[in-house]
Amino acid sequence: MIAWLFQKIFIAIIPDGGALDVRVVALKQKKLLYKKSHRFEGESAHREMSTYLQQFIEESPYHYIAVLNPDTNQGTVLGCSSDEAGETLNGVKSVCRKGKWLLYTSIKELDSLKKTYATVGLDFVFSPFSVIEHFFEDKIGTGFALYALAQKDSFSVAFFDEGKLEYSHHYLMHQHEERVGEEEGSAGGFSVGTEEAEEVEKGISLDDIESLDDLDIIDALDDLSDIEDLDALEDIMEFSEDEPTQEEKRFVAPQANEIKLDMDRFNDDYARFEFIQKILSHFYTTEECNNRFVETVYIADAYGSGTELKRYLEEELFLNVLIRRIDLGDEVISLAISEEEGR
């Protein structure tokens, strides 16, 4: 009962794109006191974040820190026992979700996360698939579809059928080689609190996965040397001497960093299209497919991309595509609150 006298501090840490996005929420008797956000970048990001968070940690003995797991070796297996999974889980920790599937993450990478955030401590480590399930809870029970979470440095894909997560994969972006899970029981997972995760002695090998071909994202630009001779410029010099129009005065040329960001998003959209194309091709060869074909794709967009990805999926794969903008800080905070209330 004494907990009602104190405010509760929930902190979400989202590592993505070489930066740390932090969200802090303070509640007292379930009423919001404040919500703050901060982004840390560069080599000193972790040190600066730790200093920043100390002020909130000291406000209340009831503080909870959650991180979104960025690591490669995570996923799920159908069923919550080694017999149901049909494989041996080695070197992972896991938790059963809804009695239907098993979320796993690498022990080595989980220990690395704990060391990385040792100065502030971790109460929860959430899977990207936790976020997908929570964010699309109004959709996942309505039939068979593919769901995805797009971050700057990762792309997580999961198949749900009537609320049951059946298959998934977590990709890292910006690498020359990516890997597609080959294990038939591999499916996306749910949130893991570090206190409740249990080591499973027998399980699947996380290294037995298929490599993707290098992604040829954009064709080479046309050779600018092919531009025609411009000696005839004197014929149009009168235009260059005119005063700029009002429209020209209002026009602001895009900055170099804006152009780069647009190109990065364009490239990443194509890479994500390739990931979805690859995982669909693989899924259709597995037992989990069971003669089902994906018609709809739901994408949670945390990166600000999506326009080109939607076009690729609709025009090339003839899929129905819904893209929703997602605030990962809010989603992870919401998951942490649910976990804390469920203890």
Side-chain angles (χ1 to χ4, degrees):
M1 296 299 293
I2 193 173
W4 287 92
L5 301 176
F6 293 91
Q7 61 183 0
K8 294 182 179 180
I9 309 294
F10 293 90
I11 298 170
I13 302 172
I14 315 296
D16 195 34
L20 299 172
D21 290 315
V22 174
R23 178 68 46 78
V24 181
V25 170
L27 302 175
K28 188 169 185 179
Q29 299 182 8
K30 297 187 177 182
K31 293 183 179 179
L32 178 65
L33 300 180
Y34 62 79
K35 180 168 71 171
K36 297 183 179 181
S37 302
H38 204 287
R39 183 176 179 85
F40 299 90
E41 299 179 279
E43 297 180 357
S44 61
H46 282 278
R47 183 176 66 255
E48 292 176 0
M49 181 199 67
S50 298
T51 301
Y52 174 77
L53 292 181
Q54 287 304 319
Q55 59 182 309
F56 304 105
I57 292 173
E58 293 171 0
E59 282 186 17
S60 172
Y62 297 95
H63 56 268
Y64 306 91
I65 301 176
V67 66
L68 183 61
N69 190 356
D71 293 320
T72 307
N73 294 324
Q74 58 178 310
T76 63
V77 177
L78 286 174
C80 284
S81 70
S82 58
D83 291 338
E84 290 174 319
E87 295 289 350
T88 307
L89 296 172
N90 289 318
V92 303
K93 290 189 177 181
S94 66
V95 65
C96 180
R97 174 61 183 161
K98 293 184 176 180
K100 296 179 180 179
W101 64 85
L102 195 70
L103 170 74
Y104 67 80
T105 188
S106 161
I107 293 175
K108 181 178 180 181
E109 291 179 349
L110 186 59
D111 289 343
S112 178
L113 278 177
K114 292 178 181 178
K115 291 179 181 178
T116 299
Y117 298 98
T119 55
V120 295
L122 289 179
D123 296 283
F124 306 108
V125 178
F126 291 110
S127 163
F129 304 109
S130 313
V131 175
I132 291 174
E133 185 191 41
H134 184 263
F135 188 64
F136 286 115
E137 61 183 348
D138 61 324
K139 299 294 184 183
I140 62 172
T142 61
F144 179 61
L146 185 151
Y147 296 80
L149 171 63
Q151 296 177 257
K152 182 176 181 180
D153 275 1
S154 65
F155 190 58
S156 307
V157 181
F159 295 80
F160 280 90
D161 190 3
E162 300 295 340
K164 182 181 179 183
L165 198 160
E166 297 191 354
Y167 191 87
S168 75
H169 196 74
H170 178 68
Y171 300 94
L172 295 185
M173 305 290 293
H174 314 303
Q175 291 189 351
H176 293 296
E177 290 188 15
E178 297 291 346
R179 303 184 295 178
V180 176
E182 290 184 341
E183 300 296 338
E184 292 183 357
S186 177
F190 198 73
S191 59
V192 173
T194 56
E195 295 180 358
E196 66 181 325
E198 297 178 357
E199 182 173 352
V200 180
E201 295 180 354
K202 297 183 178 182
I204 63 175
S205 170
L206 297 176
D207 296 323
D208 187 16
I209 44 187
E210 174 186 14
S211 65
L212 292 179
D213 295 330
D214 291 346
L215 299 180
D216 295 325
I217 297 174
I218 298 180
D219 292 332
L221 295 176
D222 292 335
D223 189 348
L224 296 180
S225 63
D226 292 338
I227 297 177
E228 295 180 358
D229 191 2
L230 300 180
D231 289 341
L233 271 178
E234 61 270 14
D235 295 336
I236 57 173
M237 281 299 292
E238 54 187 304
F239 278 100
S240 65
E241 295 172 358
D242 288 344
E243 286 293 322
T245 64
Q246 290 300 318
E247 289 76 12
E248 290 171 332
K249 290 179 179 179
R250 286 195 295 267
F251 175 77
V252 178
Q255 299 296 314
N257 59 343
E258 294 176 350
I259 295 174
K260 183 180 183 303
L261 180 59
D262 288 342
M263 288 299 294
D264 287 345
R265 287 174 175 170
F266 178 86
N267 294 349
D268 289 346
D269 275 357
Y270 189 79
R272 292 181 181 111
F273 163 73
E274 290 259 311
F275 291 150
I276 289 177
Q277 188 178 45
K278 294 279 186 180
I279 201 168
L280 283 174
S281 297
H282 178 69
F283 178 75
Y284 292 147
T285 66
T286 66
E287 293 181 0
E288 283 82 1
C289 176
N290 196 25
N291 295 321
R292 295 171 300 175
F293 290 89
V294 172
E295 296 181 357
T296 304
V297 176
Y298 298 95
I299 299 173
D301 178 21
Y303 180 40
S305 59
T307 302
E308 293 299 320
L309 176 57
K310 179 179 172 67
R311 181 174 66 84
Y312 293 142
L313 293 173
E314 290 177 340
E315 295 181 1
E316 300 295 328
L317 301 182
F318 308 104
L319 296 168
N320 300 316
V321 182
L322 172 68
I323 297 180
R324 287 181 181 174
R325 182 67 177 165
I326 183 174
D327 186 314
L328 282 175
D330 284 349
E331 290 301 312
V332 171
I333 289 289
S334 181
L335 287 169
I337 292 173
S338 296
E339 290 290 321
E340 188 275 332
E341 290 178 345
R343 288 184 171 184

